[in-house]
Amino acid sequence: MTARLNVNIDHVATVRQARRAPEPSVAAAALICEEAGADGITVHLRGDRRHVQDEDLYTLRRVVTSYLNVEMAVTDEMIRIATDVRPDAVSLVPETAGEVTTEGGLDAASNPDGVRAGVDRLREGGLFVSLFIDPDPRQIEAAHNAGAQQVELCTAVYAESTLGARAVHSEGRARAAAELKRLREAAVLAAQYGLHVAAGHGLTYRNVTEVAAIPEITEFNIGHNVVSRAVLTGLAEAVREMRARIREAKA
Ligand code: PXP
């Protein structure tokens, strides 16, 4: 059985926020993703609001009819917003000020009480809770103990080991193989705990296949590489349209 794909559209909002302009609309992007076969839409409401804004969550909740997954840090503010917006899933992620992107998984094993309290509040609000964690048995056990219904295994280390020289030389290939093994074992363990298993971060058209072959993984959250591809595949058409508009003006 194939896994579901949630498209993370944070970086559509990144382009919009670069100009504080109305376009590109994240709602329109979500509908295009759904139309193209995405099984769900994922967005990350960051504490610094660098891309997705609170209002986007409310708009997406109205227009997304497939599945809406909202990533957020375990803070009072975010839990309040999640219980108000009521997405189909809340993914708890670590967040550090100034980071370029999420750096690794949530350390649920070191902060069991804090994570459990956050999960409890979300579940009391009737929400489905996923924890974004490293593929580490301690974190899987902690996610289970915290009452999460799903884990999302962080594929960042695997993804990095598939880039450039690291992918070509034996050291990098061994790293990728070791990390894939860790992901496979983590997926099996999480499924044994009765957790749903998702995966994501840094996945690309080149490196997704081997992770997608892991039977226990039933959901992927993929963003940057899909939006990157969209910019390039759409660029020629966008130039043709603008060229035509200018040409037509003096026709
Ligand atoms: N999953 C989680 C928890 C994330 O934080 C991110 C990045 O926002 C992704 C998946 C998607 O990662 P990428 O944009 O590299 O595909």
Side-chain angles (χ1 to χ4, degrees), residues 8 10 44 71 93 101-102 132 152 200-203 221-224:
N8 180 318
D10 289 350
H44 182 174
E71 298 173 359
V93 301
T101 181
T102 312
F132 181 59
E152 178 178 350
H201 211 287
L203 293 175
N221 290 290
I222 307 181
H224 186 268

Side-chain angles (χ1 to χ4, degrees), residues 125-138:
L127 297 171
F128 180 88
V129 184
S130 180
L131 296 192
F132 181 59
I133 56 168
D134 290 333
D136 170 345
R138 284 170 54 249

Side-chain angles (χ1 to χ4, degrees), residues 163-199:
L163 292 177
R166 274 163 281 183
V168 175
H169 301 306
S170 57
E171 195 186 310
R173 290 217 306 271
R175 182 94 194 267
E179 202 49 35
L180 261 180
K181 182 166 176 283
R182 238 160 64 93
L183 286 164
R184 277 193 209 101
E185 289 170 0
V188 168
L189 181 63
Q192 280 167 358
Y193 273 113
L195 293 158
H196 294 268
V197 188

Side-chain angles (χ1 to χ4, degrees), residues 6-11 42-44 46 51 69 71-72 91-94 99 101-105 130-133 152-156 159 199-204 220-227:
N6 298 334
V7 179
N8 180 318
I9 56 172
D10 289 350
H11 296 306
T42 295
V43 283
H44 182 174
R46 298 191 75 102
H51 38 52
N69 171 36
E71 298 173 359
M72 50 180 49
S91 296
L92 297 178
V93 301
E99 66 186 358
T101 181
T102 312
E103 290 169 354
S130 180
L131 296 192
F132 181 59
I133 56 168
E152 178 178 350
L153 302 175
C154 177
T155 52
H201 211 287
L203 293 175
T204 70
F220 284 93
N221 290 290
I222 307 181
H224 186 268
N225 208 238
V226 173
V227 174

Side-chain angles (χ1 to χ4, degrees), residues 2 13 33 42 50 54 98 103 117 133 138 147 162 165 183 194 202 214 232-233 236 238 241:
T2 186
C33 291
T42 295
R50 71 173 75 153
D54 300 39
E103 290 169 354
I133 56 168
R138 284 170 54 249
T162 66
L183 286 164
I214 298 175
L232 297 188
T233 56
E241 280 185 31

